[in-house]
Amino acid sequence: MRERLLGGAALARVEGEGAVHVRLRDGRVEDVRLRIFEPPRFFEAFLRGRRFDEVPDITARICGICPVAYQMSACAAMEDACGVQVGDEIRRLRRLLYCGEWIESHVLHVFFLHAPDLLGYDSAFDMARDHRGLVERALALKKAGNALVRAIGGREIHPINVRVGGFHRAPRPAELADAARQLAGARAFAHEMVGWTASLPFPDVEEDFTFVALREPDAYAIEGGRMASSGGLDLAPREFDAHVVEEHVPHSTALHARLRDEGRYAVGPLARYALGGAGLGPGAARAARDAGLEPLVRNPFRSIVVRCAEVLHAVDEALQLIAAYAPPDPPAVDVVPRAGVGCGWTEAPRGLLWHRYEIDAQGTIRDARIVPPTSQNQARIEESVRRTVERHVALGDDELRDRCEHAVRSYDPCISCATHFLRLEVDRG
Amino acid sequence: MTLVIGVGNRWRGDDAAGLVVARRLGGLEHEGDATTLVDAWRAGDDVVIVDAASSGAPPGTVRRFDALAAPLPAAHLRSSTHAFGVPDAVELARALGRLPATLRVIAIEGAGFTAGDRLSDAVAGAVDAVVAELARGAAAHARDASTTSRNAP
């Protein structure tokens, strides 16, 4: 069986890198593999022997785009290990911080990674030349998210103010005023983008999904919740690894995740919207309705519309939280380490992010497990790529590569959480 | 006065090279996505960006680019674990008409980018050399700048 490597172009506009291999025979798809060459679990190994209170600083650097998500999940898991519950005020401040990250991460993806695909541009900067006003407003909206992260986190990237138990310092209300002003100024644009993205030309595709997301009774789940699935699961963090099986597949050093009873699944905006869409704030819900967003979105490319609805939700929620803000005093609860295991999760922009730590009585980390959203999505992304190849098998390799890249990008994979290098290989025998 | 911006990730081995240079010169340390680089400078600024590179050159190799004159070689500057890196940020700024007065990029070839908080020896040596070069650089930069067309302040 002759294997022909066609091109070797890196998969562009995906955070980090990964590889897609397709094998075709007589015009039929024989095999599709998403190969993620992750330096295997280096961060988990790196955490062993470190102190329990170092997890926010270290895990923040697993992902340059969602450091807050890693800090929040790490704190949840470590606080569980130490038997600590933070109060409502700290929890709300965490949620506010997280809103900032959702905004900046989603806006980056929508405008600089995904929209160019849907508008037929090779790159975000080609798009920027033709849609300069749009890109400038997107940058301003992203900047508002960054400003919020900086105001609470103490720095725009890799917040230094987060600690296990809460924050080193609670910002004074006046310190949130600039972020509030920027968010208010960008709100109209965030609203317009729900309708604008809904009007983009999408591949006409419907897929079946098993979705997994956190859910909360009276809110759109971000910084906590119980895990729900399409098949009716309702779990606490410690039950995650009884229901989620992670398996090594030969072609990837990342692990494929599946639900024991429901098989491969997807996390992220589509999952959150499907399982908890009723929790969207009234402004975002109305914008979604007006844009004709269906209650259950089964076209992976339409994730861009859901992301915009989530951005609008995060803007509105952030403004409400800022208006009602009372600095938690003290800014953190005391956390005394004890020997044991803790689990915790939150909804990163890309989906459910679960951490598990085992620590000893001195607070030294004995074991760490981190399951990022993108690795949970890997099997499901492969499925979408397979369907994409089946639809476009008659196309030349360059066009086929483009379609596969679009399909992968629609999941907003943060492959830097799980990999190192991506290229497309098409083997037509 | 030159603005030195170091780009990278302090927990990914040699990906911290740019950050270390910036830290030692009192410049701006930029971790994470590069879209915000566009906001890091103003139109009249003289900017030097320092980043790690992964191009196959011997570790510690230092390359210098004039980013106003031509697009950066994206393949060389894919060091960061995110595809939207320095070359993309520069092209975005160019497309939006938001480049600074001068923009140089210094790329330091890394040996390894796996999780860890130490620079390899080759990169540590290159970092020393780049810091010294930039610290001495005010006079040299003024000489370069005099041959670069720029708007009068």
Side-chain angles (χ1 to χ4, degrees), chain A residues 93 96-97 147-155 161 167 169 171 176:
Chain A
L93 188 54
L96 180 57
L97 173 63
L148 186 53
V149 172
R150 184 176 57 242
I152 301 169
R155 195 166 63 193
N161 193 28
F167 296 88
R169 186 179 83 81
L176 301 179

Side-chain angles (χ1 to χ4, degrees), chain B residues 38-51:
Chain B
V38 157
D39 291 317
W41 56 69
R42 288 164 310 198
D45 283 345
D46 293 313
V47 178
V48 176
I49 295 175
V50 186
D51 193 7

Side-chain angles (χ1 to χ4, degrees), chain A residues 162-345:
Chain A
V162 172
R163 51 159 285 188
V164 179
F167 296 88
H168 291 291
R169 186 179 83 81
R172 285 172 282 112
E175 291 174 300
L176 301 179
D178 177 59
R181 190 186 43 79
Q182 290 191 46
L183 288 166
R187 201 244 175 226
F189 176 72
H191 184 272
E192 277 172 49
M193 285 305 98
V194 182
W196 180 75
T197 53
S199 71
L200 294 175
F202 292 101
D204 187 17
V205 161
E206 293 266 293
E207 296 184 15
D208 293 318
F209 284 95
T210 295
F211 286 127
V212 166
L214 297 184
R215 203 158 49 182
E216 291 224 87
D218 298 311
Y220 202 68
I222 303 177
E223 82 293 352
R226 291 181 62 85
M227 180 176 129
S229 72
S230 300
L233 287 176
D234 174 25
L235 305 179
R238 290 181 180 225
E239 299 173 276
F240 181 85
D241 56 1
H243 289 268
V244 175
V245 177
E246 284 196 287
E247 291 165 330
H248 270 291
V249 287
H251 56 276
S252 169
T253 56
L255 300 171
H256 268 204
R258 61 178 177 83
L259 289 174
R260 216 173 273 280
D261 296 332
E262 297 173 60
R264 67 188 152 203
Y265 62 95
V267 298
L270 291 189
R272 289 191 287 258
Y273 182 67
L275 294 171
L280 277 176
R286 188 166 47 247
R289 259 194 325 269
D290 291 348
L293 190 65
E294 55 277 31
L296 176 66
V297 177
R298 294 172 54 223
N299 181 342
F301 299 94
R302 282 172 74 74
S303 58
I304 196 174
V305 189
V306 178
R307 272 187 202 91
C308 286
E310 288 190 335
V311 169
L312 180 57
H313 173 88
V315 170
D316 284 343
E317 175 124 28
L319 288 167
Q320 283 169 14
L321 286 167
I322 292 171
Y325 174 62
D329 183 16
V333 300
D334 278 334
V335 182
V336 176
R338 63 182 189 187
V341 170
C343 301
W345 53 32

Side-chain angles (χ1 to χ4, degrees), chain B residues 7 25 35 50 75 81 85 87 99 109 112 114 116 122 129 131 141 146 149:
Chain B
V7 176
L25 292 167
T35 49
V50 186
T81 50
L99 288 169
E109 185 74 19
T114 56
V131 167
H141 183 59
S146 70
S149 68

